[in-house]
Amino acid sequence: MSLFSNIDWTDIGLATIDTLTMLGGSMTLTVILGLPLGVILFLTGKGQMLENKAAHAGLGLLVNILRSVPFVILLIVMIPLTVLLVGTSLGVAGAIPPLVVGAAPFYARLVETALREVDKGVVEASFALGATRRQVVLGALLPEAMPGIIAGATVTAIALVSYTAMAGVVGAGGLGDLAIRFGYQRFQTDVMVVTVVLLLVLVQALQMVGDTVVRKVSHR
């Protein structure tokens, strides 16, 4: 027991719940925003059904800018906007806006890549059968790209786990906050080890679930 003398399992449990809450809330909003953004990026690209160079370039620039900003800096820069949106920059609620802003552009690019891998013959065949653009997107493109879209969501969720840990720097709560306040600042190595192990387990679980869903979707 001396190996874990500094561990307060109640704090560990609450921090784990905070991390899962941040992950669930931010991942949901990331998909809601990132999926249509990725679809628009694809459709407005060269040679696609809604080709628009200006729109594609503008959206691409915005996505690239947001993706290039280190997440720790994004956390700090977004504090005024976060306070405006949720009333605080601390805790779980204060972490979700920057998490979404950091992850949605990343996921959008993964969605765009997944859509590019769809055989153009599928789209052409759909149009030949008289399908509208909306029907082609919803009935052909997205279903065909679904394994890649789900795999992209898995990669994004894992990235969000690391983002939630970094959010502890500004008092967002969760396992990262616990690791920084107790494991690092108070030199409690056992706390650091437990939080790192829990984060590794969470990442492994997300990867396993994602791989399972991708396999099931691919075999349909």
Side-chain angles (χ1 to χ4, degrees):
M1 292 294 291
S2 60
L3 292 174
F4 300 102
S5 58
N6 296 311
I7 299 295
D8 185 328
W9 293 105
T10 299
D11 286 345
I12 293 290
L14 292 174
T16 301
I17 292 172
D18 283 348
T19 293
L20 293 174
T21 302
M22 283 189 284
L23 177 62
S26 60
M27 188 62 202
T28 299
L29 292 172
T30 293
V31 172
I32 290 174
L33 296 175
L35 181 58
L37 179 57
V39 172
I40 294 171
L41 277 169
F42 171 76
L43 293 178
T44 56
K46 185 177 180 180
Q48 303 304 328
M49 63 183 79
L50 297 178
E51 180 178 351
N52 186 313
K53 291 182 180 180
H56 185 76
L59 286 174
L61 179 62
L62 176 63
V63 167
N64 290 338
I65 290 173
L66 292 176
R67 287 178 61 198
S68 66
V69 178
F71 184 68
V72 173
I73 295 176
L74 187 64
L75 278 170
I76 298 170
V77 169
M78 280 194 59
I79 286 177
L81 178 59
T82 301
V83 172
L84 181 64
L85 291 173
V86 298
T88 180
S89 63
L90 303 175
V92 173
I96 289 180
L99 285 171
V100 174
V101 171
F106 176 73
Y107 182 56
R109 281 299 189 192
L110 295 177
V111 170
E112 181 189 15
T113 300
L115 290 169
R116 284 179 177 175
E117 294 175 354
V118 175
D119 188 346
K120 289 186 178 181
V122 174
V123 176
E124 293 171 356
S126 299
F127 278 126
L129 293 173
T132 63
R133 290 175 177 175
R134 178 186 178 87
Q135 290 171 333
V136 170
V137 172
L138 298 179
L141 272 175
L142 289 177
E144 287 293 321
M146 195 55 63
I149 291 173
I150 295 172
T154 302
V155 172
T156 304
I158 291 172
L160 277 170
V161 172
S162 67
Y163 287 175
T164 62
M166 283 187 280
V169 173
V170 294
L175 293 170
D177 178 58
L178 204 64
I180 292 169
R181 286 191 297 113
F182 293 92
Y184 176 70
Q185 295 177 348
R186 300 185 186 181
F187 304 101
Q188 296 178 356
T189 304
D190 49 356
V191 176
M192 181 70 77
V193 170
V194 170
T195 53
V196 169
V197 169
L198 287 173
L199 289 171
L200 289 174
V201 169
L202 178 56
V203 167
Q204 186 62 32
L206 289 170
Q207 188 65 62
M208 290 176 62
V209 171
D211 290 345
T212 300
V213 175
V214 168
R215 284 195 297 269
K216 289 183 177 181
V217 172
S218 299
H219 292 157
R220 288 183 179 178

